[in-house]
Structures are given as C-alpha cells and as structure tokens.
C-alpha cells in the first residue's frame, strides 16, 4: 500500500478550514485514503471528525495511505495540498 509522509503547512494546523478543504479533496478521489499522526490509528481522510481528532498542528508530520488504482496520484495531490498554508489562500 503506497504511503506519503508530509508536514502540515497551514498556520492553524489541520483544523477548521484546512481540514474541510482536505476532506473535500479526499472525498473526490476514486480510492480510499487514510491519514494518521505518529503511531495513532489511521482515520478515513473523508471523515471531518476523524481528521480533526488527529490534532495535527503546523509542522506535524502526517502519514497518508491509499489503496487501489490511482493511489499514487491521489497521495501526491493530498500531500501537496497538506504542505501548503491553506489559511493564507
């Protein structure tokens, strides 16, 4: 299963607007994606409550995992999104 590790770039971390944008992007993907911090249990990237429960702050490394056709492209897109400061856009 392909994985990507990326540091959260948003100033407020993965909360409120950045989390909403991430979940919306993940929901449009044709493959299931999970996200986790450290050794915590992964949560579905399509779940706003799951993503918020991670408590990821700016600079926190998160790991994305996806499975299926298009998994690499899905992870590339989500990793690029998380690396940006979504609060400034």
């Amino acid at each position: 299963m392909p994985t990507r590790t990326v540091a959260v770039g948003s100033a407020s971390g993965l909360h409120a607007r950045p989390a909403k944008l991430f979940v919306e992007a993940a929901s449009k993907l044709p493959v299931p994606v999970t996200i986790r911090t450290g050794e915590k249990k992964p949560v579905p990237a399509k779940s706003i409550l799951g993503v918020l429960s991670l408590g990821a702050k700016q600079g926190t490394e998160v790991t994305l995992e996806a499975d299926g056709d298009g998994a690499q492209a899905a992870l590339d897109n989500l990793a690029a999104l998380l690396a940006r400061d979504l609060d400034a856009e």
Side-chain angles (χ1 to χ4, degrees), residues 21-61:
L21 295 173
F22 174 77
V23 169
E24 285 175 349
S27 296
K28 294 176 184 174
L29 297 173
V31 296
V33 179
T34 61
I35 182 172
R36 66 180 165 82
T37 57
E39 296 302 317
K40 289 184 181 178
K41 182 180 176 189
V43 298
K46 295 178 182 182
S47 167
I48 188 71
L49 292 177
V51 171
L52 290 172
S53 74
L54 296 173
K57 300 184 182 329
Q58 184 180 34
T60 300
E61 286 194 345

Side-chain angles (χ1 to χ4, degrees), residues 70-88:
Q72 296 284 358
L75 292 179
D76 290 342
N77 290 338
L78 290 177
L81 181 70
L82 285 176
R84 297 186 347 229
D85 185 358
L86 299 173
D87 293 309

